[in-house]
Amino acid sequence: MLVLLLISVSLLLIPLLFFFFLLTGDGESLAKQLASLGAKLILSARDEAALERVKKQLTGKYAPDEVKILPLDLASGEDSLREAVEKAESFFSGAGVDYMIHNAAYERPKTTALDVTEDSLKATFNINVLGTISLTRLLAPFMLKQGTGHFVVMSSAAGKVPAPGQAVYSASKFALNGYFHSLHSELCQKGIKVTIVCPGPIETSHGYGATISARKGSENHVSSERCAELTIIAATHGLKEAWISHQPVLTVMYLVQYMPTIGYWLMDKIGGKRVEVAAQKGNTYSWSLLFGNKKA
């Protein structure tokens, strides 16, 4: 797991303005930790009631009273996204957005690469890729004008290594990583930073509250609170990329990154088994996928 020394993060955040999507438990954890550090927040998602619920739970110098709510659907089209960006830029007396945290994600239950429906394919890419890129394109000119800005992208380990059973989700995260690394190379000398966070399995919530902590294999999951903490550390220290996970996911990521022949051989060995285990709602992050334990 990524471990860094946290040095005066509160001083780095105050009074920076964060604009991000709050769609899962790790988004809630990020909001709570940033609020407690004194950041100004704009929270956005499709569900306004859920945003209001989270806002009431926040505490900090500017929370909850000065936390802004901005309902938005990433798949709503460029005109709607442009209006949202302009509204976000108008908050806090037009101070401008310092950090954009891309936390939106669309993922369907695990299935084979050939069983994905066209609707699921389009929905995944509309949210994970097209909407995220469009919002970035619309917000970046404001950051360039103010001479500074930071995109924090919540990607996935599935954007670094093959993810049998999650082919389309994995493809969307690979696309996201490619775009934002390229964006950073183009704009880093103009004051724009990018931090791509690639978590493995996270113990979080779906639908704002339904915990997965009791599901099989949850011992392999990093808590949403710890993921949020490490994300803030990575961003405030200017890391270009951060991997956050327990084993065995980290080992697989390192093998694919630095010893790709071995890494891809390993994924080929477990690929079919992982899909079968997913269909049985078993632990798809277990060493036993490799060593043949039927309890995977």
Side-chain angles (χ1 to χ4, degrees):
M1 181 182 293
L2 172 66
V3 179
L4 292 176
L5 179 63
L6 181 57
I7 305 175
S8 302
V9 167
S10 60
L11 296 179
L12 293 171
L13 297 183
I14 298 175
L16 298 182
L17 175 56
F18 287 71
F19 173 27
F20 66 95
F21 286 86
L22 186 71
L23 294 182
T24 57
D26 53 331
E28 291 190 28
S29 296
L30 275 167
K32 291 174 182 178
Q33 293 187 32
L34 289 169
S36 69
L37 290 169
K40 299 176 180 178
L41 301 179
I42 304 171
L43 307 182
S44 189
R46 290 174 296 179
D47 190 340
E48 185 172 1
L51 292 174
E52 291 289 352
R53 177 186 62 78
V54 173
K55 175 181 175 178
K56 293 177 181 178
Q57 297 176 359
L58 302 181
T59 58
K61 182 177 180 180
Y62 299 100
D65 295 341
E66 295 186 54
V67 173
K68 306 299 183 183
I69 298 298
L70 184 56
L72 178 63
D73 182 352
L74 269 183
S76 60
E78 191 163 305
D79 290 341
S80 177
L81 296 179
R82 181 178 290 105
E83 291 178 8
V85 167
E86 292 173 353
K87 190 169 184 178
E89 285 289 326
S90 71
F91 287 145
F92 298 102
S93 302
V97 174
D98 298 296
Y99 281 76
M100 173 70 223
I101 301 182
H102 284 298
N103 192 55
Y106 182 90
E107 180 181 7
R108 301 300 298 162
K110 293 180 177 64
T111 185
T112 69
L114 300 182
D115 289 335
V116 177
T117 66
E118 183 179 10
D119 287 344
S120 179
L121 175 63
K122 290 180 177 179
T124 301
F125 271 80
N126 282 341
I127 297 297
N128 294 1
V129 183
L130 302 180
T132 299
I133 290 176
S134 292
L135 184 60
T136 299
R137 289 174 41 246
L138 295 167
L139 180 59
F142 290 94
M143 291 182 168
L144 288 168
K145 185 176 181 180
Q146 68 189 22
T148 183
H150 197 145
F151 292 97
V152 180
V153 185
M154 299 304 294
S155 181
S156 171
K160 300 296 295 183
V161 301
Q166 299 171 284
V168 173
Y169 177 76
S170 178
S172 72
K173 292 301 184 178
F174 267 91
L176 207 60
N177 291 357
Y179 176 82
F180 279 98
H181 277 307
S182 299
L183 179 77
H184 179 267
S185 295
E186 293 178 10
L187 300 181
C188 62
Q189 296 184 21
K190 298 181 180 181
I192 305 301
K193 297 180 180 180
V194 173
T195 296
I196 298 176
V197 182
C198 299
I202 302 298
E203 184 178 348
T204 181
S205 61
H206 295 289
Y208 294 97
T211 179
I212 63 168
S213 61
R215 79 180 184 182
K216 294 180 179 179
S218 62
E219 67 275 5
N220 297 104
H221 294 64
V222 178
S223 71
S224 59
E225 292 79 13
R226 181 60 172 159
C227 183
E229 178 185 7
L230 292 174
T231 296
I232 293 171
I233 293 172
T236 54
H237 287 74
L239 297 188
K240 295 180 178 66
E241 188 169 295
W243 302 352
I244 301 173
S245 185
H246 290 310
Q247 301 296 358
V249 175
L250 276 181
T251 296
V252 174
M253 294 176 75
Y254 274 101
L255 286 174
V256 170
Q257 180 85 4
Y258 299 109
M259 304 176 69
T261 299
I262 296 176
Y264 287 121
W265 168 83
L266 178 64
M267 296 309 301
D268 291 345
K269 185 174 178 63
I270 69 172
K273 295 179 183 177
R274 190 171 192 261
V275 173
E276 293 175 3
V277 170
Q280 299 168 6
K281 301 187 184 301
N283 180 6
T284 57
Y285 300 99
S286 172
W287 285 111
S288 54
L289 289 176
L290 177 62
F291 297 115
N293 187 331
K294 293 183 179 181
K295 292 183 179 181

